[in-house]
């Protein structure tokens, strides 16, 4: 069974450009989460999907970030326009159920804004 | 609000020595607790989790952790370190309440170095 897959693994863009990160969760996992780790800081929650619906987007930094999950399958996280402080590693995770169930993480996308 | 504190951003041990990585949490009710590990160039992998069964939890690769409610701690241990244990370790909590969404609150991470 394939794990959580994230594309691209690395992205370097200039300030003001747009970047779209993609996450393919484990098949059958209704719950999908996005997290971000800024250098030197802890991993922080961004948002949570249940199927195609956003359940909790309390961690989204600002309206330059837009997440979607088409048809409850893969998810995209778009940053437009990117700023220097958006640099970091973006992780996606999926789980079958919330709470006690294990969340499976992707390898992350390292975003560098220059 | 929940929070997690990992004492020591870097821990160095000799191969064969005891590994002890500290984690304390703050929560109004005992949460679900997790330890994840990140090896270089890989994603986070679950080591073990506490979800209200036995307070001593055994995980993969010889790691274990003990939930101590009175100390609000969930320290990770391994009797004998291997070179392959060198990685970054994250303690995390998840709310077990009715509003639980499964989102994880992470500590700052502890990088474990294992010296030959």
């Amino acid at each position: 069974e394939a794990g959580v897959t994230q594309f691209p693994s690395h992205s370097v863009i200039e300030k003001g450009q747009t970047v779209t990160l993609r996450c393919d969760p484990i098949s059958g996992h209704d719950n999908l989460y996005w997290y971000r780790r800024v250098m030197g800081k802890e991993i922080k929650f961004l948002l949570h999907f249940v199927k195609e619906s956003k359940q909790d987007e309390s961690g989204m930094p600002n309206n330059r970030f837009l997440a979607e999950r088409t048809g409850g399958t893969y998810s995209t996280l778009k940053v437009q326009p990117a700023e220097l402080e958006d640099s970091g590693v973006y992780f996606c995770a999926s789980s079958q159920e919330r709470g006690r169930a294990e969340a499976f993480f992707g390898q992350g996308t390292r975003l560098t804004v220059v | 609000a929940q929070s997690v504190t990992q004492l020591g951003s870097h821990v160095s041990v000799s191969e064969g020595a005891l590994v002890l990585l500290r984690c304390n949490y703050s929560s109004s009710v005992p949460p679900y607790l997790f330890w994840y590990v990140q090896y270089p160039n890989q994603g986070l992998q679950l080591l073990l989790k506490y979800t209200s069964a036995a307070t001593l939890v055994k995980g993969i690769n010889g790691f274990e952790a003990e939930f101590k409610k009175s100390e609000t701690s969930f320290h990770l241990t391994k009797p004998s370190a291997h070179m392959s244990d060198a990685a970054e370790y994250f303690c995390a909590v998840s709310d077990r309440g009715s509003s639980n969404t499964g989102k994880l609150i992470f500590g700052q991470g502890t990088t474990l170095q294992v010296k030959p």
Side-chain angles (χ1 to χ4, degrees):
Chain A
E1 178 180 321
V4 177
T5 308
Q6 293 186 243
F7 303 97
S9 57
H10 293 82
S11 180
V12 181
I13 62 171
E14 293 184 349
K15 176 182 174 181
Q17 289 186 320
T18 297
V19 63
T20 300
L21 313 181
R22 172 169 171 148
C23 169
D24 286 75
I26 292 173
S27 178
H29 282 192
D30 289 340
N31 294 279
L32 187 149
Y33 306 84
W34 282 98
Y35 293 86
R36 177 176 74 170
R37 189 182 195 193
V38 172
M39 186 175 290
K41 303 287 187 180
E42 67 272 26
I43 300 170
K44 284 195 171 181
F45 168 82
L46 295 179
L47 87 159
H48 169 215
F49 283 99
V50 176
K51 297 184 180 178
E52 68 277 7
S53 300
K54 293 177 186 174
Q55 291 296 295
D56 180 358
E57 49 184 331
S58 60
M60 294 288 264
N62 51 60
N63 59 12
R64 295 186 293 103
F65 289 74
L66 176 63
E68 295 179 325
R69 190 178 182 192
T70 306
T73 55
Y74 70 91
S75 175
T76 57
L77 180 64
K78 181 190 288 187
V79 185
Q80 179 181 31
E83 298 290 345
L84 298 179
E85 63 264 26
D86 301 333
S87 296
V89 180
Y90 291 76
F91 292 101
C92 175
S94 71
S95 68
Q96 276 189 314
E97 59 180 273
R98 297 172 288 181
R100 67 174 65 199
E102 173 183 358
F104 293 84
F105 281 78
Q107 80 279 16
T109 294
R110 181 173 296 277
L111 174 64
T112 303
V113 182
V114 298
Chain B
Q2 293 178 317
S3 65
V4 179
T5 302
Q6 291 182 239
L7 294 176
S9 58
H10 288 82
V11 170
S12 181
V13 300
S14 297
E15 190 174 20
L18 170 73
V19 176
L20 171 61
L21 304 183
R22 300 178 186 274
C23 173
N24 288 86
Y25 68 90
S26 173
S27 179
S28 57
V29 296
Y32 297 125
L33 292 154
F34 305 82
W35 274 100
Y36 281 86
V37 60
Q38 185 180 23
Y39 299 104
N41 301 315
Q42 295 186 28
L44 278 72
Q45 178 183 2
L46 183 69
L47 273 178
L48 48 80
K49 63 181 179 182
Y50 168 75
T51 59
S52 80
T55 56
L56 182 62
V57 182
K58 295 187 183 298
I60 62 172
N61 301 337
F63 284 93
E64 62 181 36
E66 185 172 7
F67 170 66
K68 292 187 176 181
K69 182 180 178 181
S70 61
E71 299 178 7
T72 60
S73 69
F74 191 56
H75 302 330
L76 182 70
T77 61
K78 182 174 180 178
S80 177
H82 294 169
M83 297 296 293
S84 59
D85 294 327
E88 190 164 18
Y89 293 79
F90 298 91
C91 181
V93 302
S94 176
D95 187 7
R96 66 168 66 231
S98 58
S99 61
N100 166 40
T101 64
K103 80 178 184 185
L104 296 169
I105 307 298
F106 284 90
Q108 302 91 323
T110 298
T111 298
L112 176 66
Q113 179 188 24
V114 182
K115 297 179 291 185

